[in-house]
Amino acid sequence: MYLPRKFKIGVAVPPSNDVNVYSQDLGFIAIVEDGKLQGFNVTVGGGMGMTHGDTNTYPQVGQLIGFCHPEQIVDLAEKTVMIQRDYGDRAVRKHARFKYTIDDRGIDWFIEELTKRLGWSLEDARPYHFEHNGDRYGWVKGSDGKWHYTLYIQNGRIKDEEGYLLKTGLKEIAKIHQGDFRLTANQNLVIGSVTSHRKKKINELIQQHGLSDGANYTALRRNSMACVAFPTCGLAMAESERYLPSLLDKIEPMLQESGLAEEDIVIRMTGCPNGCARPALAEIAFIGKAPGKYNMYLGGGFAGDRLSKLYKENIGEAEILDSLSPIIKHYAVDRRVGSISATLSSAAATSRKSAPDLIFTHRG
């Protein structure tokens, strides 16, 4: 289609938003009723990338525009891509993503243009509910009767370490596994399509090599993600993959002290503002600005449906920990159990008088 920039499409099946569907240029949310796929709710205009200091660039969540039936999905996707081909910015590369095309012209303009090209209109969006955007670890039985085992892979790095032979264990499994291996959108690994006959042997190898489904890690770590950054990525401004684990080592005691060790909180880090680990949708996020320095964001939605807000700029580890300590304590005491959210603005104000309202989604 000769697009001006990349164009991402994601499909999510509620209640799991494991692909962060709102971060996609074009998103399809499956609507299943009575065990049958009815069609898809459609979102458009998501995207995570931005540039430090350039206010014309920003992360954006996709907007819900309606519902289409399964047989209509390819036609809708094609016409959406064609609109970006024809109207996307070809002069300024940083302004060439689909989210800016929609924001500049308006969502009503896009729907009108899409309807004209399709020759039919979308129906009203149908009800749906996302509960989380993480992976389901351990064994899960698929609808085809085969089994799938999701391993927790910290920041997606498969390697052997002292006391944890992850790479070796996976090699041994690969020798007998007749199914597939799947990389998840959360940097984890699925040993997929395991028959009941081979499940026992693969499970023995998992146990033998101590491969982890994340149960021996804190909920914070299981919900963490980092981009590769230094030394692999030429765009990196700060560490990410190699640094986040050690930062979590220092945050986890705060959660333990506050009784939140098993509280699911999404935390993400990137070495630059291009958004590869989707930090703009995390509840706690750090975006690299210089070696050892990060912009700190708070308040993204646990289900990946709300952008975080910039809280502090260009801070190092000491200030990160000093900032998080009172917020975590306040969250432990005042979060609304059973509610979808808890407001932490008063805790934020303790450490910064002009702080914006901070929202943490709570899974009560």
Side-chain angles (χ1 to χ4, degrees), residues 3-258:
L3 293 170
R5 284 295 304 276
K6 59 189 175 184
F7 193 98
K8 299 179 179 180
I9 302 176
V11 180
V13 183
S16 175
N17 186 19
D18 52 351
V19 300
N20 273 135
V21 71
Y22 301 107
S23 72
Q24 313 290 335
D25 294 275
L26 175 59
F28 294 108
I29 301 170
I31 303 300
V32 179
E33 298 173 0
D34 299 323
K36 183 179 179 180
L37 177 66
Q38 302 298 314
F40 300 87
N41 283 345
V42 181
T43 65
V44 294
M48 294 291 97
M50 62 178 178
T51 300
H52 286 316
D54 185 349
T55 57
N56 291 320
T57 66
Y58 47 83
Q60 182 65 286
V61 291
Q63 300 180 63
L64 184 64
I65 61 171
F67 171 87
C68 72
H69 295 278
E71 65 273 12
Q72 298 172 317
I73 189 173
V74 174
D75 189 22
L76 185 146
E78 181 184 42
K79 298 305 189 296
T80 300
V81 171
M82 290 172 68
I83 292 173
Q84 171 63 351
R85 175 198 66 189
D86 296 342
Y87 292 97
D89 191 341
R90 295 186 180 275
V92 181
R93 187 174 186 275
K94 292 180 179 179
H95 191 255
R97 289 296 297 274
F98 186 43
K99 60 183 177 181
Y100 301 124
T101 305
I102 290 180
D103 285 359
D104 289 348
R105 296 173 179 270
I107 193 64
D108 292 336
W109 166 85
F110 170 75
I111 294 173
E112 182 180 349
E113 181 69 19
L114 178 64
T115 302
K116 181 173 68 175
R117 296 191 184 214
L118 288 171
W120 50 268
S121 300
L122 288 168
E123 298 177 16
D124 291 340
R126 300 196 181 183
Y128 68 97
H129 173 66
F130 285 129
E131 295 178 356
H132 59 86
N133 64 359
D135 292 328
R136 293 171 292 176
Y137 296 106
W139 287 109
V140 175
K141 192 173 186 179
S143 58
D144 60 357
K146 293 184 178 180
W147 292 88
H148 311 273
Y149 188 89
T150 302
L151 283 167
Y152 168 68
I153 311 290
Q154 184 162 239
N155 297 330
R157 180 64 64 184
I158 295 176
K159 61 181 179 180
D160 284 346
E161 297 179 343
E162 185 177 351
Y164 188 42
L165 301 181
L166 172 60
K167 186 175 181 179
T168 298
L170 286 172
K171 281 184 176 181
E172 292 302 311
I173 290 173
K175 291 177 182 179
I176 67 165
H177 182 37
Q178 295 181 337
D180 51 58
F181 291 95
R182 309 179 189 184
L183 307 179
T184 81
N186 291 292
Q187 301 180 328
N188 296 308
L189 180 71
V190 179
I191 305 169
S193 301
V194 179
T195 63
S196 296
H197 175 70
R198 290 191 174 268
K199 180 188 173 189
K200 180 179 179 181
K201 180 59 179 176
I202 289 178
N203 200 52
E204 288 175 354
L205 290 172
I206 289 172
Q207 300 302 320
Q208 178 182 334
H209 292 87
L211 304 188
S212 176
D213 62 359
N216 55 325
Y217 293 97
T218 64
L220 182 73
R221 198 170 294 258
R222 290 195 300 269
N223 285 284
S224 69
M225 184 158 52
C227 73
V228 63
F230 292 139
T232 303
C233 179
L235 300 176
M237 302 175 182
E239 290 281 2
S240 183
E241 178 198 336
R242 299 190 299 186
Y243 172 55
L244 182 57
S246 63
L247 180 62
L248 294 179
D249 288 340
K250 298 177 176 65
I251 297 175
E252 285 168 333
M254 298 181 187
L255 295 172
Q256 182 73 40
E257 182 180 347
S258 298

Side-chain angles (χ1 to χ4, degrees), residues 48 50 52 238 268-275 279-280 285-290 293-297 314:
M48 294 291 97
M50 62 178 178
H52 286 316
R268 294 174 179 173
M269 175 178 283
T270 58
C272 82
N274 284 289
F286 304 98
I287 296 177
K289 202 164 186 183
K293 298 291 184 179
Y294 300 85
N295 285 354
M296 180 176 173
Y297 292 77
N314 203 33

